[in-house]
Amino acid sequence: AKKVTKEKKHQGGAGATDEVPTAQPGKKMAAPKKSRGDSAASDAPGPGESVAASDLPAAKPSASLEGSLTVLAKLKEMEFYSRANLEQLAALGLTVEDELKQKELVAPLGDVLSAQNAFQTKLTALLEAYKAECDRMQGAPRSL
């Protein structure tokens, strides 16, 4: 019951519906689901309308772009957990040094904190570069 209550609270309460997806850190947003009647009505051109050939490929991203967006989402998730690890290591360092008075373990814990900080810095730089590349791929004209 606690887990269900927590999930509902996280998702925006009991008023949340399947039609309005909620954002989650590190996750891609799901496209709204269409019923069969909606997709047939919206995809078919109306009387007097024509579908240009260039409109069809633009509707679906390329396999390369989809794969890149998946990698980007995983990198964002890794960055989120890396930041959480930094915070936990800093808290543990304070506990070991101040509360437990284990001075001999402060330096090795500091080394781990430094390594995690270096990892976080490099991961953030990679994430920014990869996001820029994904943005470039989305904005680039698609060739047939």
PDB file of all heavy atoms in Angstrom, residues 42-63:
ATOM      1  N   SER A  42      -7.056  10.359 -38.543  1.00  0.00           N
ATOM      2  CA  SER A  42      -6.047  11.408 -38.612  1.00  0.00           C
ATOM      3  C   SER A  42      -4.985  11.127 -39.678  1.00  0.00           C
ATOM      4  O   SER A  42      -4.397  12.049 -40.196  1.00  0.00           O
ATOM      5  CB  SER A  42      -5.371  11.590 -37.252  1.00  0.00           C
ATOM      6  OG  SER A  42      -4.682  10.405 -36.911  1.00  0.00           O
ATOM      7  N   ASP A  43      -4.733   9.869 -39.995  1.00  0.00           N
ATOM      8  CA  ASP A  43      -3.704   9.537 -40.973  1.00  0.00           C
ATOM      9  C   ASP A  43      -4.196   9.658 -42.414  1.00  0.00           C
ATOM     10  O   ASP A  43      -3.413   9.903 -43.314  1.00  0.00           O
ATOM     11  CB  ASP A  43      -3.174   8.119 -40.748  1.00  0.00           C
ATOM     12  CG  ASP A  43      -2.378   8.022 -39.452  1.00  0.00           C
ATOM     13  OD1 ASP A  43      -1.974   9.085 -38.926  1.00  0.00           O
ATOM     14  OD2 ASP A  43      -2.165   6.891 -38.982  1.00  0.00           O
ATOM     15  N   ALA A  44      -5.455   9.455 -42.642  1.00  0.00           N
ATOM     16  CA  ALA A  44      -5.991   9.496 -43.995  1.00  0.00           C
ATOM     17  C   ALA A  44      -6.214  10.944 -44.415  1.00  0.00           C
ATOM     18  O   ALA A  44      -6.744  11.738 -43.647  1.00  0.00           O
ATOM     19  CB  ALA A  44      -7.309   8.733 -44.080  1.00  0.00           C
ATOM     20  N   PRO A  45      -5.815  11.298 -45.640  1.00  0.00           N
ATOM     21  CA  PRO A  45      -6.058  12.661 -46.093  1.00  0.00           C
ATOM     22  C   PRO A  45      -7.545  12.866 -46.357  1.00  0.00           C
ATOM     23  O   PRO A  45      -8.256  11.966 -46.801  1.00  0.00           O
ATOM     24  CB  PRO A  45      -5.238  12.773 -47.375  1.00  0.00           C
ATOM     25  CG  PRO A  45      -5.028  11.372 -47.831  1.00  0.00           C
ATOM     26  CD  PRO A  45      -5.072  10.517 -46.598  1.00  0.00           C
ATOM     27  N   GLY A  46      -8.004  14.062 -46.067  1.00  0.00           N
ATOM     28  CA  GLY A  46      -9.413  14.392 -46.299  1.00  0.00           C
ATOM     29  C   GLY A  46      -9.637  14.670 -47.766  1.00  0.00           C
ATOM     30  O   GLY A  46      -8.708  14.675 -48.585  1.00  0.00           O
ATOM     31  N   PRO A  47     -10.897  14.905 -48.136  1.00  0.00           N
ATOM     32  CA  PRO A  47     -11.183  15.213 -49.537  1.00  0.00           C
ATOM     33  C   PRO A  47     -10.469  16.498 -49.947  1.00  0.00           C
ATOM     34  O   PRO A  47     -10.497  17.481 -49.235  1.00  0.00           O
ATOM     35  CB  PRO A  47     -12.692  15.387 -49.589  1.00  0.00           C
ATOM     36  CG  PRO A  47     -13.215  15.104 -48.223  1.00  0.00           C
ATOM     37  CD  PRO A  47     -12.077  14.876 -47.325  1.00  0.00           C
ATOM     38  N   GLY A  48      -9.820  16.453 -51.061  1.00  0.00           N
ATOM     39  CA  GLY A  48      -9.125  17.619 -51.578  1.00  0.00           C
ATOM     40  C   GLY A  48      -7.725  17.786 -50.985  1.00  0.00           C
ATOM     41  O   GLY A  48      -7.013  18.697 -51.374  1.00  0.00           O
ATOM     42  N   GLU A  49      -7.331  16.944 -50.035  1.00  0.00           N
ATOM     43  CA  GLU A  49      -6.005  17.037 -49.446  1.00  0.00           C
ATOM     44  C   GLU A  49      -5.090  16.008 -50.115  1.00  0.00           C
ATOM     45  O   GLU A  49      -5.533  14.942 -50.494  1.00  0.00           O
ATOM     46  CB  GLU A  49      -6.044  16.746 -47.945  1.00  0.00           C
ATOM     47  CG  GLU A  49      -6.790  17.773 -47.133  1.00  0.00           C
ATOM     48  CD  GLU A  49      -6.798  17.422 -45.655  1.00  0.00           C
ATOM     49  OE1 GLU A  49      -5.936  16.629 -45.223  1.00  0.00           O
ATOM     50  OE2 GLU A  49      -7.661  17.926 -44.945  1.00  0.00           O
ATOM     51  N   SER A  50      -3.826  16.348 -50.222  1.00  0.00           N
ATOM     52  CA  SER A  50      -2.868  15.384 -50.742  1.00  0.00           C
ATOM     53  C   SER A  50      -1.716  15.266 -49.755  1.00  0.00           C
ATOM     54  O   SER A  50      -1.403  16.210 -49.037  1.00  0.00           O
ATOM     55  CB  SER A  50      -2.352  15.808 -52.122  1.00  0.00           C
ATOM     56  OG  SER A  50      -1.642  17.024 -51.996  1.00  0.00           O
ATOM     57  N   VAL A  51      -1.106  14.110 -49.747  1.00  0.00           N
ATOM     58  CA  VAL A  51       0.011  13.879 -48.849  1.00  0.00           C
ATOM     59  C   VAL A  51       1.293  13.994 -49.651  1.00  0.00           C
ATOM     60  O   VAL A  51       1.473  13.294 -50.645  1.00  0.00           O
ATOM     61  CB  VAL A  51      -0.094  12.474 -48.202  1.00  0.00           C
ATOM     62  CG1 VAL A  51       1.122  12.201 -47.330  1.00  0.00           C
ATOM     63  CG2 VAL A  51      -1.378  12.358 -47.413  1.00  0.00           C
ATOM     64  N   ALA A  52       2.168  14.880 -49.244  1.00  0.00           N
ATOM     65  CA  ALA A  52       3.448  15.037 -49.925  1.00  0.00           C
ATOM     66  C   ALA A  52       4.366  13.893 -49.513  1.00  0.00           C
ATOM     67  O   ALA A  52       4.324  13.419 -48.385  1.00  0.00           O
ATOM     68  CB  ALA A  52       4.076  16.375 -49.567  1.00  0.00           C
ATOM     69  N   ALA A  53       5.209  13.464 -50.420  1.00  0.00           N
ATOM     70  CA  ALA A  53       6.118  12.354 -50.133  1.00  0.00           C
ATOM     71  C   ALA A  53       7.128  12.732 -49.048  1.00  0.00           C
ATOM     72  O   ALA A  53       7.561  11.884 -48.288  1.00  0.00           O
ATOM     73  CB  ALA A  53       6.852  11.939 -51.411  1.00  0.00           C
ATOM     74  N   SER A  54       7.472  14.008 -48.968  1.00  0.00           N
ATOM     75  CA  SER A  54       8.451  14.423 -47.962  1.00  0.00           C
ATOM     76  C   SER A  54       7.859  14.448 -46.556  1.00  0.00           C
ATOM     77  O   SER A  54       8.591  14.447 -45.576  1.00  0.00           O
ATOM     78  CB  SER A  54       9.012  15.803 -48.305  1.00  0.00           C
ATOM     79  OG  SER A  54       7.957  16.755 -48.287  1.00  0.00           O
ATOM     80  N   ASP A  55       6.521  14.460 -46.409  1.00  0.00           N
ATOM     81  CA  ASP A  55       5.888  14.473 -45.090  1.00  0.00           C
ATOM     82  C   ASP A  55       5.978  13.121 -44.402  1.00  0.00           C
ATOM     83  O   ASP A  55       6.059  13.054 -43.179  1.00  0.00           O
ATOM     84  CB  ASP A  55       4.410  14.877 -45.197  1.00  0.00           C
ATOM     85  CG  ASP A  55       4.249  16.344 -45.565  1.00  0.00           C
ATOM     86  OD1 ASP A  55       5.239  17.098 -45.419  1.00  0.00           O
ATOM     87  OD2 ASP A  55       3.147  16.731 -45.984  1.00  0.00           O
ATOM     88  N   LEU A  56       5.961  12.043 -45.133  1.00  0.00           N
ATOM     89  CA  LEU A  56       5.951  10.720 -44.524  1.00  0.00           C
ATOM     90  C   LEU A  56       7.233  10.383 -43.777  1.00  0.00           C
ATOM     91  O   LEU A  56       7.167   9.959 -42.638  1.00  0.00           O
ATOM     92  CB  LEU A  56       5.649   9.662 -45.589  1.00  0.00           C
ATOM     93  CG  LEU A  56       4.239   9.744 -46.203  1.00  0.00           C
ATOM     94  CD1 LEU A  56       4.100   8.708 -47.306  1.00  0.00           C
ATOM     95  CD2 LEU A  56       3.171   9.551 -45.145  1.00  0.00           C
ATOM     96  N   PRO A  57       8.444  10.563 -44.339  1.00  0.00           N
ATOM     97  CA  PRO A  57       9.647  10.231 -43.589  1.00  0.00           C
ATOM     98  C   PRO A  57       9.849  11.126 -42.364  1.00  0.00           C
ATOM     99  O   PRO A  57      10.440  10.724 -41.387  1.00  0.00           O
ATOM    100  CB  PRO A  57      10.796  10.422 -44.575  1.00  0.00           C
ATOM    101  CG  PRO A  57      10.171  10.392 -45.915  1.00  0.00           C
ATOM    102  CD  PRO A  57       8.769  10.876 -45.727  1.00  0.00           C
ATOM    103  N   ALA A  58       9.373  12.358 -42.398  1.00  0.00           N
ATOM    104  CA  ALA A  58       9.563  13.279 -41.285  1.00  0.00           C
ATOM    105  C   ALA A  58       8.775  12.829 -40.058  1.00  0.00           C
ATOM    106  O   ALA A  58       9.100  13.191 -38.949  1.00  0.00           O
ATOM    107  CB  ALA A  58       9.147  14.681 -41.697  1.00  0.00           C
ATOM    108  N   ALA A  59       7.740  12.034 -40.254  1.00  0.00           N
ATOM    109  CA  ALA A  59       6.906  11.601 -39.138  1.00  0.00           C
ATOM    110  C   ALA A  59       7.648  10.610 -38.247  1.00  0.00           C
ATOM    111  O   ALA A  59       7.422  10.570 -37.053  1.00  0.00           O
ATOM    112  CB  ALA A  59       5.623  10.979 -39.652  1.00  0.00           C
ATOM    113  N   LYS A  60       8.535   9.794 -38.822  1.00  0.00           N
ATOM    114  CA  LYS A  60       9.244   8.783 -38.035  1.00  0.00           C
ATOM    115  C   LYS A  60      10.737   9.074 -38.063  1.00  0.00           C
ATOM    116  O   LYS A  60      11.332   9.198 -39.111  1.00  0.00           O
ATOM    117  CB  LYS A  60       8.972   7.401 -38.631  1.00  0.00           C
ATOM    118  CG  LYS A  60       9.571   6.293 -37.794  1.00  0.00           C
ATOM    119  CD  LYS A  60       9.269   4.936 -38.348  1.00  0.00           C
ATOM    120  CE  LYS A  60       9.888   3.904 -37.436  1.00  0.00           C
ATOM    121  NZ  LYS A  60      10.375   2.771 -38.141  1.00  0.00           N
ATOM    122  N   PRO A  61      11.352   9.206 -36.870  1.00  0.00           N
ATOM    123  CA  PRO A  61      12.792   9.462 -36.859  1.00  0.00           C
ATOM    124  C   PRO A  61      13.569   8.272 -37.397  1.00  0.00           C
ATOM    125  O   PRO A  61      13.110   7.138 -37.337  1.00  0.00           O
ATOM    126  CB  PRO A  61      13.114   9.710 -35.389  1.00  0.00           C
ATOM    127  CG  PRO A  61      11.929   9.293 -34.611  1.00  0.00           C
ATOM    128  CD  PRO A  61      10.780   9.159 -35.556  1.00  0.00           C
ATOM    129  N   SER A  62      14.763   8.548 -37.883  1.00  0.00           N
ATOM    130  CA  SER A  62      15.592   7.479 -38.433  1.00  0.00           C
ATOM    131  C   SER A  62      16.025   6.536 -37.321  1.00  0.00           C
ATOM    132  O   SER A  62      15.994   6.871 -36.137  1.00  0.00           O
ATOM    133  CB  SER A  62      16.818   8.076 -39.123  1.00  0.00           C
ATOM    134  OG  SER A  62      17.670   8.646 -38.146  1.00  0.00           O
ATOM    135  N   ALA A  63      16.441   5.345 -37.719  1.00  0.00           N
ATOM    136  CA  ALA A  63      16.887   4.350 -36.741  1.00  0.00           C
ATOM    137  C   ALA A  63      18.112   4.864 -35.985  1.00  0.00           C
ATOM    138  O   ALA A  63      18.252   4.629 -34.781  1.00  0.00           O
ATOM    139  CB  ALA A  63      17.203   3.032 -37.445  1.00  0.00           C
TER     140      ALA A  63
END
